[in-house]
Amino acid sequence: MKRRKLNIAVTGLNAIDSPGPGVSVIRALREAESFDVGIIGLSYESLEPGIYMHDIVDRTYSIPYPGAGIDMLLSRIEYIHEKEKLDVIIPNFDAELYPFIKLESKLKDMGIHMFLPTMHQFEERHKVNLNDFGKKYGISVPHSKVIYDLNTVHSLQSEFSFPMIVKGKFYDASIAYSIEQVKTYFNKISAKWGLPIIIQEFIHGAEFNVTGLGDGKGNTIAAVPMRKQYITDKGKAWGGISISDERMLDMTRKFLRNTKWRGGFELELMKNKDGELYLLEINPRLPAWIYLAVGVGQNIPEALVNLAIGEKVPPFSDYAVGKMFIRYAWDMIVDREEFEQISIYGEL
Amino acid sequence: MKLSKNAAISESGLLFNPVTGESYTVNPIGVEILNLLKDEKDLDQISKAILEKYSTDRVSFEKDYQDFIGMLQHYKLLERNETTKA
């Protein structure tokens, strides 16, 4: 039987030391068993590698940064939709989720589907609100405090001991061992991502992540826990292994049941030496290591697309434990004309 | 004591804990002891099996065995078994 072909637009085609999830999401979509795909890349910068990976991305269009406003984004998507007849968009950056969530119903009217958290879910899980989130849902989180002003840094010593984590509102986190370092990271991170800055209690232990998919009704469609085995100086997993920790899966199911989370997500967890589990962060999107989930038997991007287009998706019941992902970097040789095409015309 | 039901030991000596994701390498005698622990053998049975195969005395073996057991406990790779003694 001929499978339905879906035109799916994907962002996050970058691959710096903190790689975007786009290329991994597309690999998963190309392996989908329930549909065929045409892949439209959506890029912010001309040097995002996914743009030039022609066996991964069929065509790419540049889109405006979230800061340009929702109207600019909508107008660009209307143009792309006219040419490509998009069925689904999968946004993969935290910073772009706000405009995409705002546009969800307008895009649906145009026939473009997404499967995103609600604005309430998106805001509630924000790291700025993590303390309240932990209390409300009975999930252990490290103590954290939101600061807007460099002058309040000195008062932190009464609430936190060193080291402490200094976090940006979207990305970046550094471990500070002195007030001077807190100030340095405050300036560095706020210059890049704006205010506020989040100060978080440092939990010693091993780092774990869980990726998965919630159906928006409290059900767990997919969940795969992973232990980070090789961690870059940005704290990103460059290698990891699937594990079978029932407590992590319980915490994940509790998170999905209580919040009725809709869409893909990544939980960042820390287990201390006493085996206590802390939720450090909830990323409201699929992670860059999502292909491991496919490798262990849960094609989460495929399931997400099926939910987006209104198909019934049964929950995954199993996955292979002990499978590893090991990431690598690959130098592509690219003709200058291609770079010119995307840089000048915004299309390739 | 017996090897945690979660622990998987390969023939080549890679010991993997699927709950924590940690892995360890052990030498061939370590593999033999782990497999005996997995079969819920007690100290006397393990000692007998090793002493029959290798030229060592019981005192030396038991000292090394207790060190090994201590390490497995440290890494939470053992479970208590009421019917056997370590």
Side-chain angles (χ1 to χ4, degrees), chain A residues 74-341:
Chain A
L74 179 62
S75 129
R76 184 63 174 158
I77 290 173
E78 281 169 343
Y79 169 81
I80 298 166
H81 186 48
E82 209 175 288
K83 297 189 106 179
E84 303 290 348
K85 303 280 172 283
L86 299 178
D87 295 297
V88 175
I89 298 179
I90 304 181
N92 286 306
F93 287 124
D94 298 20
E96 68 187 3
L97 280 180
Y98 181 84
F100 274 109
I101 292 171
K102 283 272 184 196
L103 287 175
E104 190 163 16
S105 65
K106 274 191 183 163
L107 295 180
K108 197 171 180 188
D109 292 343
M110 291 160 58
I112 304 173
H113 304 271
M114 294 191 289
F115 200 70
L116 302 176
T118 63
M119 190 57 85
H120 175 70
Q121 291 168 342
F122 178 71
E123 293 291 352
E124 188 177 49
R125 62 82 234 174
H126 201 289
K127 58 185 107 173
V128 169
N129 303 321
L130 196 64
N131 278 349
D132 294 339
F133 184 93
K135 265 185 219 153
K136 183 174 174 186
Y137 297 115
I139 291 174
S140 299
V141 298
H143 177 56
S144 58
K145 185 173 186 171
V146 175
I147 56 170
Y148 290 85
D149 186 348
L150 200 53
N151 293 324
T152 57
V153 162
H154 283 281
S155 67
L156 294 171
Q157 288 177 97
S158 59
E159 251 181 271
F160 295 87
S161 54
F162 287 107
M164 59 182 88
I165 312 284
V166 184
K167 288 185 156 188
K169 65 174 173 178
F170 290 122
Y171 298 102
D172 272 356
S174 295
I175 303 171
Y177 292 87
S178 65
I179 281 294
E180 283 63 40
Q181 284 188 340
V182 175
K183 288 179 182 172
T184 305
Y185 295 135
F186 180 101
N187 287 328
K188 202 172 157 188
I189 296 172
S190 62
K192 199 168 174 189
W193 298 110
L195 291 169
I197 290 292
I198 299 105
I199 304 296
Q200 198 171 74
E201 173 192 1
F202 180 76
I203 307 283
H204 292 268
E207 293 183 46
F208 298 85
N209 287 164
V210 181
T211 188
L213 178 63
D215 68 354
K217 296 169 188 161
N219 300 309
T220 304
I221 299 298
V224 175
M226 174 273 286
R227 182 197 177 101
K228 292 183 182 182
Q229 287 184 303
Y230 194 100
I231 303 175
T232 68
D233 57 2
K234 290 246 178 193
K236 304 294 165 189
W238 209 256
I241 189 162
S242 62
I243 58 167
S244 67
D245 191 314
E246 202 48 44
R247 283 194 306 143
M248 281 180 205
L249 291 168
D250 280 345
M251 184 189 267
T252 306
R253 288 189 279 260
K254 187 176 185 182
F255 156 67
L256 292 171
R257 189 171 56 245
N258 290 348
T259 63
K260 297 192 167 35
W261 186 264
R262 183 177 187 266
F265 64 88
E266 179 193 35
L267 305 183
E268 294 188 12
L269 307 172
M270 187 72 92
K271 194 193 268 184
N272 70 13
K273 63 177 180 7
D274 298 321
E276 293 162 334
L277 213 51
Y278 289 86
L279 175 64
L280 303 188
E281 219 168 292
I282 302 162
N283 294 317
R285 46 150 180 89
L286 299 173
W289 59 274
I290 190 66
Y291 194 72
L292 177 67
V294 182
V296 300
Q298 299 196 3
N299 192 331
I300 296 177
E302 178 183 8
L304 184 147
V305 166
N306 279 324
L307 286 172
I309 60 174
E311 297 288 329
K312 267 201 147 187
V313 178
F316 290 101
S317 56
D318 206 4
Y319 60 89
V321 173
K323 288 262 189 213
M324 299 164 66
F325 81 89
I326 300 171
R327 188 169 289 162
Y328 62 94
W330 181 272
D331 296 347
M332 292 185 292
I333 305 302
V334 175
D335 289 330
R336 197 192 64 242
E337 287 75 14
E338 291 200 341
F339 176 73
E340 186 181 326
Q341 182 71 26

